[in-house]
Amino acid sequence: MSFPYFLSVLVFSPLLGILILMFVPKTQEATIKLIGFFATLPALILSLFAFFKYRAGTDLADFSYSTSWIQFFGVKGSDESFSINYELAVDGFSLIMIVLTAIITTLSAVAAIYIKKEWKGYFMLFLLLEVGMLGVFAAQNLILFFLFFEITLIPTFFLIGKWGYFEKEKAAFSFLIYNGLGSAILLIVIMVLFAQTGTTNIEGLKEILGSSDYFSDSFKLGLLIALLIAFGVKLPIFPLHSWMLRVHVQAPPAIVMIHSGILLKIGAFGIIRFGIGLFPEQFTSLAVLIAILGVVNLLYGAFLAFVQTDFKMVLAYSSVSHMGIVLIGLAALNEAGIQGAIFQVVSHGLISALLFFLVGVFYERVNTTLLPNLGGLAKGMPLMSGFLLAGAMASLGLPGMSGFVSEFMAFLGLFKEMPIIAAIGVIGIVMTAVYLLRAVLSITYGKANRDFQGVSDIRSIEIFPVVILLALTILIGVYPSVLSQPLQTTLETIMLGIGG
């Protein structure tokens, strides 16, 4: 059974919420909040439907759709034309990312309870951002991918700059400049490929680039390096990370959940889908360099997280560190490593969204995230402190949680290929436990510099996102085949491309 319009409905379903909000007076805040939340549910329901249909045996090709869109005549000659099709399709990896996006967006809509002003404008931008994120993972050609990629930038800029904290404008412009430069580099690569091959279809490009007729190996290597820079800004790869620290500190909790949980993962998705997918031989030649960059990310983020006094900065540097594990897994270029990298993308998306949501909860109570001012929080917020400790355990890779599976597979893959580099990287894993336990124990059981007895513990509406995110991290930790089974075809395709 074919579902040709399924992905289009899924991707653009949040626009229905935007359309409804246009006719709701901005003074009706309760109505706007409900519409904003419920508008995220169609994408969640549809993505889960596709996921379970796939696990039941449905061919993902049944969800694909392609139709003529734009044509350029006379580009290379009077009788030739270049065409860009509207193409949506998914494989196991992109379907998982769509499900992850839908889940975190819905839970982030709950976190929007902390927004204090202009709900209507906030949710219209919020839902537009969801369209961009869903489209990025469903796009089957580079032009469409780029358009959806750009759609994510504008609403994120305004959501940070309008509803963020004290230095929100600086963080928003830093985000826009760095990501805008990355987009410019990505666009150059896309235009070169389009001009030389006449197509931007991803599968078509794989076939064309597999031959040596269009580009020399050195030119392919140059295109790959450009892609690594473009997506390295998004991931981020050291030293292209400073903008991300500002965003994690200054953006409102709901947007940080999306930013750390999804937007950063577009960088990893791009490296896997286009870096390894289009230029497997050249990626293999850079494997050692990528492994070193991964270890640098891991160690740099871990050591900087250890010396921070602001819990938001601890988590921001932790994100830098954990993205190093993605690079380590990819550099291994074997099935264990690449699977570990993809698991890390999903795992960190869930865990970082959980931790930043919890940060938002206690910031609303005590109006600070400085570690010296948060000691003894367990006395006034015992349930909240327990959830925070559970989130930290997941992040440091406790067995039985998703972080352990992803880190174990990524390092297993690298130890097979580059044992010395992998051994150095293990220091970062040890440091992760050190800085997270130091921060969390300081917050919960450290010396109390203020009285938290009158502070209310986590509420029922706040427990809802926390329980779901924790349950998913445990599910992946104890039953990893929930991800590995859908990823099998994707991994086989990647391994075939790199000759594995």
Side-chain angles (χ1 to χ4, degrees), residues 90 297 346 410:
V90 289
N297 254 54
V346 178

PDB file of all heavy atoms in Angstrom, residues 90 297 346 410:
ATOM      1  N   VAL A  90      12.235   8.775   3.152  1.00  0.00           N
ATOM      2  CA  VAL A  90      12.930   8.486   4.408  1.00  0.00           C
ATOM      3  C   VAL A  90      13.568   7.110   4.341  1.00  0.00           C
ATOM      4  O   VAL A  90      13.126   6.233   3.600  1.00  0.00           O
ATOM      5  CB  VAL A  90      11.972   8.541   5.626  1.00  0.00           C
ATOM      6  CG1 VAL A  90      11.553   9.966   5.931  1.00  0.00           C
ATOM      7  CG2 VAL A  90      10.754   7.654   5.422  1.00  0.00           C
ATOM      8  N   ASN A 297      37.242  17.424  20.738  1.00  0.00           N
ATOM      9  CA  ASN A 297      35.927  17.845  21.203  1.00  0.00           C
ATOM     10  C   ASN A 297      35.589  17.224  22.556  1.00  0.00           C
ATOM     11  O   ASN A 297      35.127  17.902  23.485  1.00  0.00           O
ATOM     12  CB  ASN A 297      34.856  17.414  20.194  1.00  0.00           C
ATOM     13  CG  ASN A 297      34.316  18.564  19.378  1.00  0.00           C
ATOM     14  OD1 ASN A 297      35.094  19.290  18.759  1.00  0.00           O
ATOM     15  ND2 ASN A 297      33.019  18.743  19.351  1.00  0.00           N
ATOM     16  N   VAL A 346      20.834  10.213  18.768  1.00  0.00           N
ATOM     17  CA  VAL A 346      19.497  10.065  19.347  1.00  0.00           C
ATOM     18  C   VAL A 346      19.546  10.175  20.867  1.00  0.00           C
ATOM     19  O   VAL A 346      18.745  10.890  21.486  1.00  0.00           O
ATOM     20  CB  VAL A 346      18.873   8.718  18.928  1.00  0.00           C
ATOM     21  CG1 VAL A 346      17.497   8.541  19.569  1.00  0.00           C
ATOM     22  CG2 VAL A 346      18.782   8.622  17.410  1.00  0.00           C
ATOM     23  N   ALA A 410      30.546   3.298  20.017  1.00  0.00           N
ATOM     24  CA  ALA A 410      31.437   4.234  19.335  1.00  0.00           C
ATOM     25  C   ALA A 410      32.889   3.929  19.667  1.00  0.00           C
ATOM     26  O   ALA A 410      33.762   3.886  18.776  1.00  0.00           O
ATOM     27  CB  ALA A 410      31.085   5.672  19.717  1.00  0.00           C
TER      28      ALA A 410
END
